[in-house]
Amino acid sequence: MNRFQVKKVAVLGAGVMGAQIAAHLVNVKVPVVLFDLPAKEGPKNGIVTRAVDGLKKLKPSPLGVASDASLIGQANYEDNLELLRGCDLIIEAIAERMDWKLDLYKKIAPFVADHAIVASNTSGLSITKLSEGLPEAVKPRFCGIHFFNPPRYMTLVELINTPTTEPVILDQLEAFVTSGLGKGVVRAKDTPNFVANRIGIAGMLATMKEVENFGLTFDVVDDLTGKRLGRASSGTFRTADVVGLDTMAHVIKTLQDNLSLKTDPFYESFGTPPVLKALIEAGHLGQKAKAGFFKKVGRDILRYDGESGEYVPAGAKADEVYGRMLKRPAAERLRLLRGAEGPQGQFLWAILRNGFHYAAVHLADIADTARDVDQAMRWGFGMKQGPFELWQEAGWLDVAKMVQEDIDAGKALCKAPLPDWVFKGPVAEAGGVHTEQGSWNPSKNAFDPRRDLPVCQRQHFPELLLGEAGPKFQMAGTTIEESDSIRVWTLDNEVLIASIKTKMHAISPEVCEGLMTAIELAEKEYQGLVIWSGDEPFSAGADLQAMLPAFMAVGVAAIEDAEGFMQQTMLRLRYASVPVVSAVRGLALGGGCELAVYSARRVVHMESYIGLVEVGVGLVPGAGGLTYIARRAAENAETSTGKDLLPFLTEGFTAAAMAKVGTSAIESRQLGYVLHSDLIVPHKDELLFVALSEAKAMFASGYRAPHQRLFPVAGRDGKATILGSLVNMRDGGFISEHDFHIASLIANVVTGGDVDPGTLVNEEYLMTLERQAFCSLIVHPKTQERILGMLNTGKPVRN
């Protein structure tokens, strides 16, 4: 694939967004230099230094591991502009002031390389007006790039061209942002607030207006407009707090300053809500100021009361009758809400109606297709469905008639009718805007297919919208073997794919049988096996519930047999004669972690969470996780001149005993669950492509499974040292007696038990110790309390 090569990036502006964009570039191994003004006092790069130091303290962390902050280069505009000559991409991310940005462009213009792309990260300023401050030679390589906050976690990046931007520049940048940064790209027109913020902020303003109309409290509204409505769990007002109320006010002002009743019939709804104005004037700017619509005091959550201007106890929930309504099929759900008598139901219909109305009226102005709007709302505002998707699912013409009736009755935010294309022509005939031919483009009066860029070929199963045509992994390719628990299939007749089908992709005995079969088939006729289950999680662990019937009927012997079979499955993966590649995305916990570490290679999505967490339910890893820790310690010790195994064992023991989970693929590498030979993939939809390519490359290079070797263990001396530390923790009250017991069992396995230091053992020996420890705990009353507590509440029990 011919891809724009980005060897180095400059980020101009070390504010909240600039610093976090730089952090994410470091996460994906792109060298970056962060610029800002020279400090008036102290070292010239002091502003940047403080920003970089601040990255280590932010939650959620913008860095995969905090220590990588040191990889961000630091510079200032006075001394270091020459560094720009070596940058392939320059991202300007200073404050949202047109005059400041134009002044900076004049300063940097002489130092921009002839091939470099220059992009402004702005949430709403006109990209065309910004381009006017650039030399003619740079204009073709200039565009807008709008990251959503926080850049590491938010999928959406909007790209905005100008009349002078060369089309190839956006194609090149989209390829880098997609594959290199792992983002979902939407191309927006150069209109105020672009796509996501235009629709999203208008929706939040409309929501605030309807909250006043129906007299609801912020906590009830957030309960209604969060997960129940298929949106971000933070709802409306908590989301505003996270974004920052001053930031929200700025985006609102962009709408106020750049639109009018002539250009936007909803303009009268864009006034700054009185409650938002009051909070900002009081300095309550949201999460960063520790107070906004909500405020946390100790463990209590308070909400702002607009009438008194005080914070009062929060926690009120929506009436459950509307919770039940929201679980109904889309068509029935909307009809019920429209006909609801209570204010909560009427409120929900009002905000959905307003969203449909606004999106339809403005589609032609702000985006090329309805796809762009729905993807922007999915990726930028955490919606499960964009407004057009929900509308289409509920019955296109039926919903359109209900919306238009409300407009005619004066119940909507404005009198602008729905566009003609809603009621007649191709959209009405197709029953919606997303079809097998493409998504509706009102400017062309046609359905536009997706862009066919080379980067798109890396996504075998891209995220589809309702109504779109495209392959679905559940039915794709050729099925070789299938059961209720696992599907073994192939896309190309070269590499097999094993897709686990159980809930949370839990590993049951049936899954193990399927994996055993997959390995046998792969060894006979294929180049390798990829374990990939299509969506998150990779695997949440062993299926304890599937083992319970056998446990109740036969006793602990049934558990020992099941654990033994899982262990044999892991060894079969490790010593298969063809490469087994685990394509990890999301959670890989317990047995899921073991499945990954026993594979020949791991291809891991950046936002994956990997760890051995069995301690949380009073157990120890039982499918080879502790054996893996002991073996890896021995392998790492081989590279050392010292003979003491304990230093190489400590990290692995601690991770298992404390149920540590790597909160990124990078952090999981530090814990030893991802190796430096493994691949970290930024984009979730490229995971399968990379895993298949890796399996083929390993096979082509003459892959051979590792030898089954004996390896040394730390023995009773290492065990005694660990136990000494555990005694101190127990006696100091840091861990309970049962925690001490579990950790002691872990120590016994990873050190090899009661043997001399340096004793050579094999994996089967350690797995026997592991299995015995697991089975001794499964019958322990305190462990059973923990298991039942987790099954009932989803939270760990400390006993």
Side-chain angles (χ1 to χ4, degrees), residues 359-427:
V361 167
H362 287 295
L363 173 58
D365 301 331
I366 65 175
D368 288 332
T369 70
R371 181 191 309 110
D372 297 320
V373 170
D374 281 348
Q375 286 180 329
M377 299 315 292
R378 277 191 181 201
W379 296 338
F381 278 78
M383 293 184 176
K384 286 186 178 179
Q385 290 181 305
F388 290 118
E389 284 185 283
L390 174 57
W391 184 347
Q392 183 165 330
E393 184 184 10
W396 184 264
L397 286 177
D398 288 341
V399 174
K401 289 172 184 174
M402 290 193 291
V403 172
Q404 189 59 53
E405 285 173 5
D406 277 14
I407 295 169
D408 294 340
K411 295 178 180 179
L413 292 176
C414 76
K415 296 180 181 179
L418 291 174
D420 288 342
W421 57 260
V422 170
F423 291 103
K424 54 189 178 183
V427 171

Side-chain angles (χ1 to χ4, degrees), residues 93 110 191 193 209 242 289-290 300 344 367 447 474 513 661 673 700 743 770:
T191 54
N193 290 347
K209 196 176 187 69
V242 172
K290 304 189 185 302
D300 297 326
Q344 294 180 22
F447 294 106
Q474 296 92 337
E513 288 175 7
V661 175
Y673 301 135
E770 195 172 326

